[in-house]
Amino acid sequence: MDQINDDDNYETENNNWKDIFKSVTRNSYFLNARYYEIFFEKIRKNEYPSLPSRQSCIYMCDVNNLEFWYSKFLKETGKESLLIYSFEADGIMHYADPEWLELGVKPNAHYEEIAKKYWKGEIHPDQTGQKEILFNGTLRRIDKFNSIADFKGK
């Protein structure tokens, strides 16, 4: 039997284990995110039915949170700029702290507790101050901006 040397390299051929791990991690993340959405929707339907559904609403933000969301979506999309629209809204809005959507494997009782805090509009203890707005109703476009710089200039 060969002796194991700490200096030996135990990576598999072509580093396939890294690709497999990334794939499993990514797929687990998306499955868990999907579970969160289903669980949050169940709580909304049962206890907060008048609030917009995360599955069918329009996501919005207010001016105070625009820079946060703009930079987040720029990073996620890899684009140099994104369009920004200002609207006049008539309908139901729910202001929520997206920090409650933390992903992790937890017992169902934990999911229920945080889902209720999300739907009540409670602030997460981390207090980043960022809000997302879930909206159902009618929108009337007021203006269109080609970038955040364009928005700030008006």
Side-chain angles (χ1 to χ4, degrees), residues 28-37 39-40 54 69 72 96-107 109-115 117-118 122-128 132:
S28 295
Y29 175 85
F30 289 120
L31 283 172
N32 199 35
R34 183 69 183 131
Y35 179 77
Y36 248 53
E37 291 296 342
F39 200 90
F40 272 57
R54 290 182 51 80
W69 289 110
K72 179 178 174 61
D97 187 337
E99 289 293 321
W100 290 117
L101 299 171
E102 67 188 52
L103 293 178
V105 179
K106 310 250 188 297
H110 179 76
Y111 287 129
E112 185 173 351
E113 177 187 337
I114 62 173
K117 289 179 179 185
Y118 176 87
E122 290 184 21
I123 302 296
H124 192 276
D126 291 348
Q127 298 180 353
T128 59
E132 62 183 10

Side-chain angles (χ1 to χ4, degrees), residues 26-150:
R26 184 174 41 253
N27 290 336
S28 295
Y29 175 85
F30 289 120
L31 283 172
N32 199 35
R34 183 69 183 131
Y35 179 77
Y36 248 53
E37 291 296 342
I38 291 168
F39 200 90
F40 272 57
E41 182 63 8
K42 177 184 168 198
I43 297 295
R44 185 201 64 80
K45 279 182 178 178
N46 291 336
E47 299 187 33
Y48 308 93
S50 63
L51 295 178
S53 167
R54 290 182 51 80
Q55 298 177 355
S56 62
C57 71
I58 294 174
Y59 287 83
M60 304 166 63
C61 70
D62 61 20
V63 175
N64 298 325
N65 292 285
L66 180 59
E67 286 191 48
F68 169 80
W69 289 110
Y70 191 83
S71 64
K72 179 178 174 61
F73 291 130
L74 271 183
K75 183 178 176 184
E76 287 178 5
T77 63
K79 295 184 177 184
E80 291 184 24
S81 67
L82 299 168
L83 295 175
I84 299 172
Y85 294 93
S86 62
F87 292 97
E88 190 174 275
D90 182 29
I92 300 169
M93 291 187 194
H94 176 61
Y95 292 79
D97 187 337
E99 289 293 321
W100 290 117
L101 299 171
E102 67 188 52
L103 293 178
V105 179
K106 310 250 188 297
N108 278 352
H110 179 76
Y111 287 129
E112 185 173 351
E113 177 187 337
I114 62 173
K116 288 179 180 181
K117 289 179 179 185
Y118 176 87
W119 291 115
K120 288 178 186 176
E122 290 184 21
I123 302 296
H124 192 276
D126 291 348
Q127 298 180 353
T128 59
Q130 306 309 324
K131 294 278 188 180
E132 62 183 10
I133 302 170
L134 282 56
F135 176 76
N136 276 346
T138 305
L139 296 172
R140 186 176 71 80
R141 190 175 89 181
I142 296 172
D143 213 340
K144 174 183 169 182
F145 306 94
N146 293 317
S147 68
I148 200 156
D150 189 23

